[in-house]
Amino acid sequence: MVSERFHLGGSLLCAALALGFAIAVQAAPAPVGGYQVVRAYPHDATAFTQGLFYRDGFIFESTGLRGRSFIRKWNLETGSVEQERLIDSRYFGEGIVDWKNRLYELTWTNETGFIYDIDSFEKLGEFSYPGEGWALTRDDKRIMMSDGTAFIRFLDPDTLKETGRIEVTDDGVPVRNLNELEWVKGELLANVWQTTRIARIDVKTGKVLGWIELAGLLKEAGATGQRDDVLNGIAYDAATDRLFVTGKLWPKLFEIKPASPTR
């Protein structure tokens, strides 16, 4: 009996230790990976970049600052502007996203968004939302929105009404200041404002799967990252699997390849 109890107790202890180890592994902070620069492209160094996406060979970009906010379509290879619209100076422009033949834009604190024709940039309408607006992206079914908190909102792409939200966490800790967003191969990528990292997020759980550390890009871009010229802007060309990043007031936009993460 003593032997049986010992074996039973030992088995339970081993199981408990194994469970504790598994929990510890699951709760560990997300791994951090680096990057490789594939190519650098020209970028308007006066653009206070808020939103960025790639479509049909062009970069679509939105900028902030009142009186200097615009939406713009520009040629990736040359940097030449193909289409531009200046936003009313009452508004501080924020993120943008495309949906079919429309372009949606957020504003920072006005709780107002704008709807444009994506070809002409003609204004088609407005929509409203509570709280601040920071960034937008989409998959093929829904739009995702950041608001400067740790939450990501999901919006119906046709009505622009909120359908749900998740809280983003790393090791159980909320990741606040989520900013520019991009949907890349089933993951949500998010700049974290005033940091040099991009979070890779599982939108089913809200957990950060990993980080892309881009501190080295600041020097290559001629930026300090200490004031306004912080990393912000992610775009993805799904057809050729190209990932682009830039920052506010950066003279360059970079195509990068993320490196495998390490803990």
Side-chain angles (χ1 to χ4, degrees):
M1 292 293 294
V2 173
S3 177
E4 290 178 0
R5 286 199 299 271
F6 175 79
H7 286 304
L8 178 60
S11 298
L12 290 174
L13 177 61
C14 289
L17 289 173
L19 178 60
F21 177 75
I23 291 173
V25 170
Q26 292 173 0
V32 180
Y35 66 94
Q36 174 188 356
V37 172
V38 178
R39 186 176 173 184
Y41 297 86
H43 179 250
D44 182 358
T46 68
F48 196 75
T49 307
Q50 301 289 78
L52 202 72
F53 66 83
Y54 178 92
R55 174 169 166 145
D56 299 332
F58 296 94
I59 295 290
F60 288 74
E61 182 174 15
S62 61
T63 66
L65 302 176
R66 287 184 174 83
R68 291 173 52 189
S69 296
F70 60 74
I71 53 174
R72 176 182 286 176
K73 172 185 175 182
W74 52 274
N75 186 292
L76 176 63
E77 296 294 330
T78 66
S80 63
V81 177
E82 303 289 327
Q83 189 80 15
E84 183 177 89
R85 180 187 179 105
L86 187 66
I87 310 305
D88 190 300
S89 60
R90 293 175 296 167
Y91 300 100
F92 190 113
E94 288 283 349
I96 53 173
V97 69
D98 63 323
W99 182 257
K100 298 177 182 177
N101 62 342
R102 290 168 285 173
L103 185 148
Y104 300 138
E105 179 188 30
L106 299 175
T107 60
W108 182 20
T109 57
N110 297 88
E111 299 187 330
T112 299
F114 301 117
I115 305 169
Y116 305 99
D117 177 271
I118 199 161
D119 294 319
S120 66
F121 286 178
E122 177 186 356
K123 184 178 173 183
L124 303 177
E126 298 183 1
F127 61 100
S128 62
Y129 48 87
E132 295 185 4
W134 283 40
L136 296 169
T137 192
R138 67 170 179 86
D139 58 17
D140 59 353
K141 295 181 180 178
R142 58 187 174 178
I143 288 173
M144 287 153 268
M145 170 183 169
S146 65
D147 56 15
T149 68
F151 287 92
I152 295 295
R153 309 182 195 186
F154 299 113
L155 309 180
D156 181 287
D158 294 312
T159 67
L160 297 171
K161 300 299 182 183
E162 184 175 336
T163 60
R165 61 175 62 192
I166 55 168
E167 184 177 30
V168 176
T169 61
D170 182 15
D171 195 16
V173 179
V175 179
R176 297 181 174 85
N177 292 323
L178 296 173
N179 204 354
E180 226 283 288
L181 306 174
E182 186 71 17
W183 184 253
V184 179
K185 293 187 282 192
E187 296 178 356
L188 178 63
L189 301 191
N191 282 127
V192 180
W193 184 53
Q194 291 188 323
T195 78
T196 56
R197 289 186 173 185
I198 291 175
R200 297 173 37 237
I201 302 164
D202 181 342
V203 294
K204 293 181 180 178
T205 65
K207 292 182 179 179
V208 175
L209 302 172
W211 296 93
I212 306 171
E213 175 56 72
L214 296 171
L217 273 187
L218 297 177
K219 184 177 181 180
E220 292 190 60
T224 65
Q226 296 177 350
R227 301 190 65 185
D228 292 332
D229 58 349
V230 295
L231 181 75
N232 198 56
I234 314 170
Y236 182 61
D237 174 11
T240 59
D241 190 26
R242 292 187 295 172
L243 182 65
F244 305 102
V245 296
T246 191
K248 300 175 184 292
L249 310 176
W250 283 20
K252 296 179 182 179
L253 175 143
F254 298 93
E255 179 190 344
I256 64 165
K257 283 192 177 297
S260 299
T262 57
R263 289 197 179 274

